[in-house]
Amino acid sequence: MSSTDTPATAAAAAAAESLTAAGEAATLLRFATAGSVDDGKSTLVGRLLHDSKSVLADQLEAVEHASRSRGQEAPDLALLTDGLRAEREQGITIDVAYRYFATPRRRFILADTPGHVQYTRNMVTGASTAELAVVLVDARNGVVEQTRRHAAVAALLRVPHVVLAVNKMDLVGYEESVFARIAGEFTAYAAALGVPEITAIPISALAGDNVVTPSATMDWYGGPTVLEHLETVPVTDDPSGDPVRFPVQYVIRPQTPEHPDYRGYAGQLASGVLRVGDPVTVLPSGRTSTVTAIDALGENVDAAWSPQSVTVLLDDDLDISRGDIIVTTATAPAVTQDVEATVCHLHDRPLAVGDRVLLKHTTRTVKAIVKDIPSRLALSEPDEHGGLARHPAPGELAANDIGRIVLRTSEPLALDAYADSRRTGSFLLIDPADGTTLTAGMAGDAFTESANGTARAAGGAAGDGWDF
């Protein structure tokens, strides 16, 4: 320590260095909020941003001004996310609002999705990349049709973590029995759909109870707050156990005096760990070779893992172009032109049997025809097992419908089941006339384990109270 340093300045420097190191090591969590109309999603998000000190002073001032102009004494934190004029006038969320914020422990990308039935497709869009979904329930109303719909979409999209936020507990006297009843009903329904993990948290977004700070009025609850759970839920998986999937985006051939014979295949590793020396197969051609080098950020590396963007060099000069997938030979997927999938139709124009579309899978786009639409999910109607009922042979899918379809593609595709890989098991159907997105698809059976699925409910109901 120099003569000008003091214990206070040294401590401050050490704290700053620790915070910087924590920020650099912080993981990223993508999560989405969902719930029925007026369950308080936007207020929850606004409270989360406000109480975690993630709102700029001018943003808060604008919200306070807008709230006063509407005759409200306290700032309406929902206005932090409801940015469209129609949203503010009607007091509802219409579009998906993305927000980015961070704490010393983790960085977040939040998708605040609409609650109306007619905007189910927006919830699918927001939750498609989410690792966690927060489903809100109004404590006065309990589990309603739209709550079950959002739980089904979370299960369909294989969102690994679901938080049930029982909101507006202040309006039911903070009664534990109300929370227990709602949590038990939701957990049973979500478990039947195969949701792997459910955490129930009683909150009041308006008052701030259990959002960022623990509630002083619900001492019967001993679990985490919403922010605490978001900061601690595990999201980093070991990619070494996943099969290697490397969709080729671009072929690099500089043909310069320094690199006369360089032929590299650039792209983002969708899953797995690829190493120099690995025997690989190029799909759909089926040709084989060996990885001789991997370039990452201009340097040679021995291995790459998802989701790194790298350039791969092979031992053989193969005919490889954009849309091909490089996989390790031992874990190569089946190649097929017959695709069976569960889809969510996004466009206002219905999708019908016989429609000719473009199918975009990773970096590959091929022509396809809709051969059959065997069923449509009835998201509001449980079947005899407590799962989802299906309407057979609907003939077409309208906007927001989720159903099963059968496609025949003009060229073979290397598709994984969506249950095995959200990246290489998903695809889009595109209108060949104008390029608009029609449908989001998930290869394979969506609810294969729903009939007998079980869930680990971190906040599940128990006969003798809550076990956290």
Side-chain angles (χ1 to χ4, degrees):
M1 181 182 298
S2 66
S3 58
T4 59
D5 288 335
T6 66
T9 58
E17 182 178 352
S18 175
L19 184 59
T20 301
E24 292 175 350
T27 55
L28 172 66
L29 173 68
R30 299 174 182 268
F31 72 101
T33 58
S36 187
V37 179
D38 292 333
D39 278 352
K41 297 180 301 301
S42 297
T43 303
L44 170 63
V45 174
R47 174 64 64 183
L48 193 61
L49 296 174
H50 178 271
D51 289 6
S52 62
K53 312 300 181 185
S54 301
V55 180
L56 299 177
D58 58 340
Q59 291 177 310
L60 184 58
E61 183 179 349
V63 167
E64 291 173 344
H65 175 74
S67 301
R68 286 194 301 270
S69 67
R70 298 167 62 176
Q72 297 172 303
E73 296 181 1
D76 185 356
L77 298 180
L79 299 180
L80 288 171
T81 56
D82 287 341
L84 297 178
R85 176 179 297 180
E87 292 178 325
R88 296 194 175 195
E89 289 177 349
Q90 300 178 50
I92 62 173
T93 300
I94 296 175
D95 199 4
V96 179
Y98 289 94
R99 292 294 179 267
Y100 309 87
F101 68 102
T103 67
R105 303 179 68 177
R106 179 166 282 175
R107 296 175 292 121
F108 301 95
I109 299 178
L110 182 156
D112 183 24
T113 67
H116 279 264
V117 174
Q118 69 191 86
Y119 300 123
T120 300
R121 55 188 173 185
N122 300 60
M123 195 264 179
V124 171
T125 302
S128 61
T129 59
E131 297 152 305
L132 181 145
V134 179
V135 179
L136 270 79
V137 171
D138 189 326
R140 299 169 300 175
N141 302 328
V143 176
V144 297
E145 175 183 331
Q146 194 66 347
T147 308
R148 293 189 289 269
R149 184 182 301 271
H150 289 146
V153 171
L156 172 71
L157 295 174
R158 293 297 198 274
V159 179
H161 308 281
V162 172
V163 173
L164 171 67
V166 182
N167 193 22
K168 304 185 180 182
M169 289 295 296
D170 53 313
L171 300 182
V172 295
Y174 297 102
E175 288 291 335
E176 179 184 4
S177 58
V178 175
F179 171 65
R181 174 180 56 78
I182 295 173
E185 182 181 353
F186 179 87
T187 298
Y189 179 77
L193 297 177
V195 175
E197 180 178 297
I198 307 162
T199 301
I201 304 176
I203 68 169
S204 170
L206 186 64
D209 293 286
N210 286 336
V211 178
V212 173
T213 56
S215 172
T217 55
M218 288 184 281
D219 53 1
W220 46 265
Y221 173 75
T225 65
V226 173
L227 182 61
E228 182 182 353
H229 183 70
L230 294 176
E231 288 183 322
T232 56
V233 66
V235 295
T236 53
D237 297 323
D238 182 7
S240 61
D242 300 329
V244 171
R245 301 290 185 265
F246 183 72
V248 176
Q249 293 182 355
Y250 188 71
V251 180
I252 299 178
R253 289 293 310 277
Q255 294 180 319
T256 61
E258 296 82 6
H259 304 283
D261 300 317
Y262 189 97
R263 184 194 295 266
Y265 308 103
Q268 184 183 49
L269 196 59
S271 64
V273 178
L274 186 64
R275 298 177 175 84
V276 174
D278 281 351
V280 295
T281 299
V282 181
L283 299 176
S285 68
R287 295 184 175 89
T288 59
S289 186
T290 303
V291 177
T292 57
I294 301 174
D295 292 343
L297 299 176
E299 297 183 358
N300 291 116
V301 295
D302 295 328
W305 53 91
S306 62
Q308 282 184 310
S309 294
V310 296
T311 302
V312 176
L313 285 75
L314 302 181
D315 187 40
D316 304 281
D317 290 335
L318 302 179
D319 181 12
I320 301 175
S321 59
R322 176 182 173 86
D324 291 341
I325 297 183
I326 298 175
V327 303
T328 47
T329 302
T331 61
V335 177
T336 182
Q337 289 180 257
D338 297 302
V339 178
E340 296 185 12
T342 301
V343 301
C344 176
H345 190 57
L346 310 175
H347 202 273
D348 291 330
R349 177 172 64 81
L351 181 74
V353 175
D355 282 356
R356 298 183 181 274
V357 296
L358 296 178
L359 189 154
K360 179 175 174 54
H361 172 247
T362 63
T363 58
R364 188 177 187 84
T365 302
V366 300
K367 296 178 181 179
I369 184 172
V370 180
K371 300 293 291 184
D372 190 18
I373 303 180
S375 62
R376 176 177 60 84
L377 289 179
L379 295 178
S380 60
E381 301 175 16
D383 62 11
E384 63 274 13
H385 302 292
L388 296 177
R390 300 173 187 256
H391 290 174
E396 64 179 24
L397 296 178
N400 297 304
D401 279 349
I402 296 176
R404 295 282 297 167
I405 68 170
V406 178
L407 299 162
R408 175 72 177 179
T409 61
S410 61
E411 301 173 30
L413 293 173
L415 270 170
D416 288 295
Y418 187 82
D420 299 329
S421 173
R422 296 174 78 186
R423 288 286 305 277
T424 56
S426 59
F427 61 86
L428 294 175
L429 298 184
I430 300 171
D431 189 334
D434 56 14
T436 57
T437 300
L438 300 174
T439 310
M442 292 141 280
D445 194 352
F447 298 104
T448 52
E449 300 177 1
S450 61
N452 299 311
T454 58
R456 179 171 61 86
D464 54 352
W466 297 93
D467 181 14
F468 296 103

